Amino acid sequence: MAVVSWKEILLLTGLVVGCYWNSLSCGFVFDDVSAILDNKDLRPSTPVRNLFLNDFWGTPMAEERSHKSYRPLTVLTFRLNYLFSELSAASYHLLNVILHAVVCVLFLRVCRLFLDKTSSLVAALLFAVHPIHTEAVTGVVGRAELLSSIFLLAAFLAYTKSTGTDQSIVWAPIALTVVLVAAATLCKEQGITVVGICCVHEVFVAQGFTLPMLLDTLRQVLQGKDGFPYAVLQTLLKLIVLVISTLLLVIIRVQVIQSQLPVFTRFDNPAAVSSTPTRQLTFNYLLPVNAWLLLNPSELCCDWTMGTIPLVESLVDLRNLATLVFYTFLGLLAYHSLRYRHSSAKTVIMALSFIVLPFIPASNLFFPVGFVVAERVLYVPSMGFCVLVAHGFKIVSHKGNFKKISWLMIGVLLTTHAVKTFNRNWDWESEYTLFTSALKVNKNNAKLWNNVGHALENQSNYAKALQYFLQATRVQPDDIGAHMNVGRTYKNLNKSKEAEDAYLVAKSLMPQVIPGKKYATRVAPNHLNVYINLANLIRANDSRLEEADQLYRQAISMRPDFKQAYISRGELLLKMNKLTEARDAYLRALELDRTNADLWYNLAIVNIEMKDPSEALKNFNHALELNPRHKLALFNSALLMQESGEPKFWPEANRRFLTYVEEEPDDANGYFNLGMLAMDANENAAAEQWMRKAIGLQAGFRSALFNLALLYSQSRREIDALPVLDELLRHHPEHIKGLILKGDILMNHKKDTRGAKVCFERILRMDPTNVQGKHNLCVVYFEERDLPRAERCLEETLALAPNEEYVRRHLSIVRSKMAAMSAAGHPLTSTEGATMSAKEEKPQGVKESAEEGEEEGRGADAVGDEKNVRKSSAESLQDVGVDQSESLDSSTPDKRTKGKSTKEIKDIEEKRAAALKRLEEIERILSAD
């Protein structure tokens, strides 16, 4: 048996790279979005054991919405890709290309078992460049085929070594075969079919039996003329071991899916729900359709569902002739290969086993699958096809007259296939290019029109996307998902009435509610989202909240395990201030899925609204245990710790804010809150650094600007505070606290009474009843030695705040001074431009109330983006469609009201005490004067 040389390996690898290098520029498209971008099992924060509990798409196998595709080893390679390059698509495509090259080399090794050196190389070259493989190689999810094929071929090669030179059984290769079969099955389900290929090889190649010989032996045994020959007994023993191992794998696989088949709709596979004989005629017709794709891969399409291939509804349908021709040709090949013992027959029977057996799970003949035709499932069957072509080439080329023609034809075939493959890769560059290329082949598939619409929607081209969605409804008027997409797009175009009408059409296509009957098997889980989307739309109108709640409850009644309905209803109940019911809704959702970090986060928000911060913090921590990088849980739990006023929480709060800014480096609110924590800890340098960072990211960040100015003021850097206050007031001229602080600095540190007066007058123009601004203006009048005006000012202030004792005392002091000056014959007002004498001391400062002295805006900038928000979940309050890569639209989150921490209250009291001390100083000065 010839081995594979290094030159052949380099040739195959170079050809694969030449055909597929442009795939490295492709992104994540079609099923890649669900398997890679949306699959939490790829993230390092997800326990590895989840890979063995969830399906290929990251959905728990126990859930009915699970696809039941159990491929943990394939997902493990995705996770390794993520570990090295996160979501860089190029690395995923590169690994696929490498795996395809490995498959080609192994396939060449297999071909050497029943083809000569030249023919086997032709088969491997054809396999390397065949355009049907672009979906398996260029589509990242096709890695399941690649990995499964590697283990499948390795298992077959191992099994071929299970017979010793003396025809004895060698058990080590059989044990290795069983292990490799299990690995192939854990990469993709069809990997288990290699057992059948091994059985065919053992009987018809290794032992050299033909079908007539087997029938004759069986007849003799049944007639009692002779027992089983020793060679037959050895063969039976080996096959029994393989079959038992296979049955064990099947039993385990059935246990994993909990004896449930996935739920598919008539849109995924129309023939699967058709009656007899339409179902049988259509499924049998699909066999020649797949064969034609191998023979002539000129028109390839990424999606063959829905109306792509019309149903064969009658025996007189001409397409039945194609089915008849296919079975006739297949039967002739099988008859030839099973009847004779020569090498050609063995080659053909092995080629047929590679074509037929791996295709059986996807054939729809024994159980329905979720597609009509899928090009990637032809990856392994194409091996048998390539062997047949190479074998035919061998026969023709050995005839002298046809040798050159046969080489020319093979050269043309390889060249055209390589060019087609290279060009086909560009179709997978983006979702838009992929689906528009599919529409050139098939215009009767509503899903393709929907997916082009999704691609345009992702580009925010809603008007053009709407045209494709509407066309989808015309191609398939009963497509619930298409009408949902129309509704969502109208919503994005701010056409609420049209959006509601579209959702109502989709809702009317749903089965009618039958009291006491569940719809788990009648309605696709995705289609139930029409109730969620419609409710999310109408709940924007506060007068229709009860109507929205009714829709959520209707979805729950149709499917009690519909987690999304509980999540969205909990959000609505929170908005309706029905906190207990909202909590119960989230608890019910958690019963269905305790591994959802967003649900724990939502429950924490409800706890906050219910004034239970300790329980809220526990639930935030639950969310972070499940997802340590959960951004909003990091932010809001840190905020909760900060607001608690407990210094013991500050280090952890600081760590969480730091993690948050790693995740959201462009969000100024994270840096702002780090600055506030540093201010609490009297780490002024760090506080200044974080505040400056926040202001640099968000110009005019009101809270950051004010608190930075306040930090400078408290650090005796009042002059540094002035430019910060100027910037604050440039962006927010109505900021009263900023005006008061600026007036105070101008008055007491810059000796600029005129500038201070302008600040306080601006306050009173905006709010004539502002007691603080009014009182401080009175102090300015006193500073200007205009005692009558100061008296009138204080009288007006006292009228605004009759219970403020300090205003009453100051008025008394001013009147006493006026009386003393009148008795001494001094004028009550100073001349224009006069200054106070050196002996006269000024008031030491204007009063700041505790409210104005407090640190402002801990949660976020009141003007900028607020981060102390409630996030319902990654799924909640979003329009959810039914097709792959649907763009989803989120609603505006509600703000969470914060309370003052113990530390803040303490700071306020300290500032109030300082303000009162200044008042006492003013009184002392006035009395002394």
Side-chain angles (χ1 to χ4, degrees), residues 61-350:
M61 294 292 290
E63 293 189 12
E64 187 180 353
R65 66 189 179 94
S66 168
H67 197 272
K68 309 301 181 187
S69 47
Y70 188 65
R71 304 165 191 172
L73 293 187
T74 303
V75 179
L76 182 61
T77 66
F78 292 151
R79 187 175 175 119
L80 292 174
N81 265 122
Y82 188 92
L83 182 64
F84 286 105
S85 62
E86 295 192 348
L87 295 177
S88 172
S91 72
Y92 293 78
H93 289 294
L94 176 61
L95 185 53
N96 272 23
V97 173
I98 293 172
L99 292 174
H100 181 52
V102 173
V103 174
C104 292
V105 173
L106 285 174
F107 177 57
L108 176 58
R109 188 77 168 81
V110 169
C111 289
R112 289 281 157 83
L113 298 174
F114 32 82
L115 285 173
D116 62 30
K117 186 174 182 179
T118 301
S119 300
S120 58
L121 182 60
V122 168
L125 292 173
L126 179 58
F127 180 81
V129 303
H130 202 296
I132 201 70
H133 299 155
T134 52
E135 182 172 346
V137 180
T138 309
V140 176
V141 295
R143 186 177 299 174
E145 268 75 24
L146 304 175
L147 288 170
S148 180
S149 298
I150 288 174
F151 289 114
L152 181 149
L153 294 173
F156 178 72
L157 288 171
Y159 184 79
T160 60
K161 299 177 181 178
S162 63
T163 302
T165 55
D166 56 352
Q167 300 302 310
S168 61
I169 299 176
V170 183
W171 289 106
I174 294 178
L176 179 59
T177 298
V178 172
V179 173
L180 291 170
V181 169
T185 307
L186 291 175
C187 292
K188 192 173 183 182
E189 297 77 5
Q190 70 181 30
I192 201 170
T193 60
V194 69
V195 173
I197 298 174
C198 291
C199 291
V200 171
H201 180 271
E202 178 66 31
V203 174
F204 297 104
V205 178
Q207 301 302 328
F209 288 109
T210 63
L211 188 59
M213 290 174 61
L214 288 175
L215 293 176
D216 185 61
T217 301
L218 182 61
R219 184 172 59 253
Q220 290 184 23
V221 171
L222 292 177
Q223 291 175 354
K225 295 181 180 180
D226 195 4
F228 283 109
Y230 180 72
V232 174
L233 291 176
Q234 277 195 316
T235 300
L236 284 175
L237 181 59
K238 292 169 71 174
L239 296 185
I240 287 171
V241 171
L242 280 182
V243 170
I244 291 176
S245 302
T246 303
L247 288 176
L248 287 174
L249 287 174
V250 170
I251 291 171
I252 294 172
R253 183 68 174 82
V254 171
Q255 290 296 318
V256 166
I257 66 173
Q258 302 184 357
S259 303
Q260 292 180 337
L261 288 175
V263 177
F264 299 119
T265 70
R266 57 192 173 87
F267 302 111
D268 298 319
N269 192 346
V273 296
S274 299
S275 59
T276 303
T278 299
R279 181 171 64 255
Q280 291 77 14
L281 292 174
T282 302
F283 284 157
N284 280 281
Y285 170 67
L286 295 179
L287 301 179
V289 170
N290 281 279
W292 181 249
L293 287 173
L294 290 174
L295 281 168
N296 181 29
S298 59
E299 292 187 341
L300 300 178
C301 181
C302 63
D303 192 298
W304 295 79
T305 56
M306 303 189 90
T308 302
I309 299 176
L311 298 174
V312 182
E313 299 178 312
S314 170
L315 289 172
V316 298
D317 192 313
L318 292 178
R319 289 175 293 171
N320 290 318
L321 292 175
T323 306
L324 183 61
V325 170
F326 172 79
Y327 276 114
T328 300
F329 182 72
L330 188 65
L332 290 173
L333 286 175
Y335 176 80
H336 167 79
S337 60
L338 294 174
R339 187 173 179 82
Y340 303 104
R341 298 185 64 179
H342 51 68
S343 62
S344 177
K346 293 179 180 180
T347 300
V348 172
I349 191 61
M350 289 310 302

